Amino acid sequence: MSPRMPTQLTKSPLIEALFEIRFEPTVPAAGDLLPGLLYSAMKTEYPEVVPLPVASIPRQIRDSNPNLLYQASHRLVGGPNSVQIGDRVVALSTTAYPGWLRF
């Protein structure tokens, strides 16, 4: 008889889990509006807004450089969880991985 596979590890080897959604904006300035819209809807869970280094790079450069297209410019932080927002991306992350079903 073969040993049973564990359904959950006792000590998770994950440092951070991230779920990313990429999209093509219909309005060029969507990346400027999205952090404020998400913050107003989620400020109780994510009370801190952190601008990331990409936010200081002009939009024309971000749009012309393929390495910067999907980089987050702002992060909403709430404890171990955060929402990262960019011109073409929204990502949910956690440093306290609760398992796939809860994440």
Side-chain angles (χ1 to χ4, degrees), residues 57 59-70 88:
I57 299 173
R59 179 174 311 286
Q60 298 86 342
I61 295 173
R62 292 191 313 237
D63 288 344
S64 65
N65 186 332
N67 295 319
L68 299 175
L69 285 177
Y70 299 103
R88 295 173 172 84

Side-chain angles (χ1 to χ4, degrees), residues 7-93:
T7 56
Q8 185 174 4
L9 298 175
T10 305
K11 184 176 179 186
S12 177
L14 299 177
I15 296 171
E16 181 179 22
L18 186 114
F19 175 76
E20 180 178 272
I21 299 171
R22 294 180 174 189
F23 58 89
E24 190 62 39
T26 57
V27 179
D32 294 331
L33 302 173
L34 198 52
L37 291 171
L38 288 177
Y39 176 73
S40 67
M42 303 166 63
K43 61 185 167 191
T44 56
E45 292 178 63
Y46 301 95
E48 184 181 358
V49 179
V50 179
L52 299 174
V54 172
S56 64
I57 299 173
R59 179 174 311 286
Q60 298 86 342
I61 295 173
R62 292 191 313 237
D63 288 344
S64 65
N65 186 332
N67 295 319
L68 299 175
L69 285 177
Y70 299 103
Q71 294 295 313
S73 59
H74 293 82
R75 178 181 289 148
L76 305 179
V77 180
N81 303 320
S82 68
V83 178
Q84 299 172 49
I85 308 149
D87 297 331
R88 295 173 172 84
V89 65
V90 173
L92 307 173
S93 69

